[in-house]
Amino acid sequence: MFKASLFPQACLLCSASKGGSLGVCSDCLCDLPYHDQSSCPQCGLPSFERQHCGSCLASTPDFDLTTAAFTYAYPISQVLQQYKYQQQLFLAETFANLMLQKLKPHNIDLIIPMPLHPNRLQERGFNQSLEIARIIGKRSNIVVNSQAVARIKHSPPQASLPLKERARNMKGAFICHEDLSGLRIALVDDVMTTGASLNALAKAVKAKGAAHVECWLIARTLAK
Ligand SMILES: [Zn+2]
Ligand SMILES: [Zn+2]
């Protein structure tokens, strides 16, 4: 199958123009909510002159860097819902390409996608982060390992919980099976809100010796 045939002909967002190789027309591409404001390098929240934010200084996350292609806002929020819940898998290609425009994949040894609990994987039929990680890995020549970490706690979806309870919900959620001594790792996830899931995942890979852990996201929410 030709790659182009995976995409609908019309732009995903306005359906007025042709979508082109990303599935989104050039006018709509210009209007997307790119996460390009001055933000904290560690957690991606807005900060003055790209300095570390007060929250990261007060309580340092287990991940070292965060890169988000977008701020979590319309229409990215809507396209993400279509990708995750309506199984529009061709969108993995769009998101991976848009993320690659911003990512600096050099110096990364291994990509680990956010694992889903086996029950949730069965419900959804695919892991949205793994599909994107695969494409990024292939394009940037970095190994993707989706087996290194398992999600062992079938906890309620983070989005269903009050912000304050999310860290507790993720406690002990992951177990890392492999020795990651000295490796520089990128974690791929769709959205970071409080950072609780990514922090728990970063903690699990650092416990196995990872030297550096960064988060690669489609979108960052600005509320914390
Ligand atoms: Zn358009
Ligand atoms: Zn921060």
Side-chain angles (χ1 to χ4, degrees):
M1 196 180 0
F2 293 107
K3 199 165 266 172
S5 68
L6 291 170
F7 290 104
Q9 289 277 302
C11 169
L12 292 166
L13 298 173
C14 69
S15 31
S17 319
K18 286 209 166 150
S21 62
L22 288 171
V24 181
C25 76
S26 51
D27 283 353
C28 288
L29 264 184
C30 287
D31 289 340
L32 291 177
Y34 294 98
H35 194 69
D36 50 9
Q37 64 271 60
S38 168
S39 50
C40 169
Q42 197 158 5
C43 73
L45 285 180
S47 76
F48 180 64
E49 290 186 344
R50 302 185 191 273
Q51 291 175 9
H52 280 77
C53 70
S55 157
C56 286
L57 291 174
S59 165
T60 307
D62 288 283
F63 47 78
D64 304 286
L65 271 176
T66 292
T67 307
F70 301 102
T71 299
Y72 188 73
Y74 183 85
I76 288 296
S77 47
Q78 186 200 311
V79 180
L80 253 164
Q81 300 287 316
Q82 288 173 4
Y83 173 48
K84 279 167 76 171
Y85 303 112
Q86 294 171 30
Q87 313 223 330
Q88 298 191 1
L89 273 168
F90 62 89
L91 287 170
E93 186 81 25
T94 301
F95 285 131
N97 282 317
L98 291 168
M99 287 166 79
L100 277 163
Q101 291 179 355
K102 178 143 186 205
L103 292 173
K104 297 181 180 73
H106 53 268
N107 295 331
I108 292 295
D109 303 306
L110 185 68
I111 295 175
I112 296 181
M114 174 62 76
L116 289 182
H117 188 273
N119 294 5
R120 179 131 316 125
L121 184 59
Q122 205 171 14
E123 258 167 51
R124 188 169 297 160
F126 71 107
N127 175 341
Q128 71 274 13
S129 303
L130 172 58
E131 298 308 317
I132 291 168
R134 274 197 185 122
I135 300 167
I136 293 177
K138 201 189 270 181
R139 300 274 158 76
S140 47
N141 245 336
I142 304 171
V143 175
V144 177
N145 187 335
S146 60
Q147 306 298 319
V149 185
R151 196 164 191 141
I152 50 174
K153 203 168 138 188
H154 189 43
S155 34
Q158 288 289 84
S160 70
L161 297 173
L163 298 185
K164 277 188 195 150
E165 284 174 27
R166 296 188 185 186
R168 200 177 341 134
N169 187 40
M170 291 317 296
K171 215 168 180 194
F174 301 105
I175 185 159
C176 182
H177 301 297
E178 293 185 21
D179 178 17
L180 303 173
S181 294
L183 294 182
R184 296 176 61 87
I185 292 178
L187 308 175
V188 170
D189 199 4
D190 49 2
V191 183
M192 184 195 279
T193 303
T194 62
S197 316
L198 282 148
N199 203 54
L201 183 56
K203 198 186 276 292
V205 302
K206 280 211 167 155
K208 288 291 190 168
H212 168 92
V213 178
E214 52 188 83
C215 305
W216 291 354
L217 313 168
I218 299 173
R220 179 67 166 106
T221 60
L222 295 185
K224 196 164 184 177

